[in-house]
Amino acid sequence: STQSRSSAASDVYKRQVVPCARPMQLRSVALLTLLCTVALPGCDKVKQCNSLVDTISSHTPKMTAASGKLAEVATNPKVVDEYEGVVQGAIDDVKALELGDENVSGFAKRYESLLGDAKALGGKMKTVTADPTKMQAVATEMDEIRKTEEALVAEVNTYCSS
């Protein structure tokens, strides 16, 4: 969350600038999984949805911790390296999923792309730390990724619970 600060640079350093660091909440998918114990039609879709959500959720604690440390980038640029490594681990795990359902596979590819964009912006932070205007631009780009992620999560929820 963004808090008021005395300067734009301080504001950018203190705000959490990393999307993709919270679990998707697909409780309805878990209920559908229970129904799939009898191999009902559509169960493969539910299993694939759960696989995607579980994979993303498994990275949430590490991504949250790494993104929280990005506030230290001005004094400790190595936090970006840690962040990039954590995000790359999530990208690799999402990429490794074997998803036959075209829609779930598409969601995974879009999420992977969002993670790639977030990783690139994390790396960009290293090069613009001395310029509050450029840091604000990076933060704005991260906000856009966050909005895109929220829309994607809504799509996953709708598809996977239908």
Side-chain angles (χ1 to χ4, degrees):
S1 66
T2 306
Q3 299 176 357
S4 296
R5 301 282 184 228
S6 59
S7 73
S10 166
D11 181 44
V12 173
Y13 295 134
K14 296 296 180 194
R15 70 196 281 196
Q16 184 175 359
V17 295
V18 181
C20 313
R22 60 179 163 63
M24 286 191 210
Q25 298 177 352
L26 298 172
R27 292 185 180 117
S28 57
V29 174
L31 291 174
L32 288 173
T33 301
L34 293 175
L35 297 174
C36 286
T37 57
V38 187
L40 297 173
C43 288
D44 191 47
K45 173 179 98 169
V46 173
K47 289 177 185 175
Q48 290 181 46
C49 285
N50 282 340
S51 181
L52 175 60
V53 170
D54 291 347
T55 299
I56 293 168
S57 295
S58 72
H59 288 276
T60 299
K62 288 184 262 179
M63 289 177 65
T64 300
S67 66
K69 291 179 183 178
L70 287 176
E72 303 167 16
V73 69
T75 57
N76 183 8
K78 290 185 180 203
V79 297
V80 173
D81 297 332
E82 179 184 338
Y83 169 74
E84 289 174 325
V86 168
V87 174
Q88 186 60 52
I91 290 170
D92 293 344
D93 285 354
V94 170
K95 199 179 279 191
L97 292 172
E98 294 182 20
L99 304 169
D101 183 289
E102 287 182 27
N103 289 317
V104 179
S105 178
F107 295 140
K109 287 176 184 165
R110 288 170 55 198
Y111 201 81
E112 182 185 324
S113 176
L114 281 174
L115 289 169
D117 292 346
K119 178 183 170 191
L121 285 174
K124 189 174 181 181
M125 288 180 76
K126 271 192 207 179
T127 64
V128 299
T129 56
D131 186 334
T133 303
K134 289 181 180 178
M135 281 297 289
Q136 185 60 46
V138 170
T140 299
E141 289 180 68
M142 284 291 193
D143 286 340
E144 289 301 315
I145 291 173
R146 233 183 251 108
K147 290 175 188 173
T148 302
E149 178 196 21
E150 289 171 5
L152 178 57
V153 168
E155 283 183 63
V156 171
N157 280 326
T158 300
Y159 179 75
C160 291
S161 63
S162 66

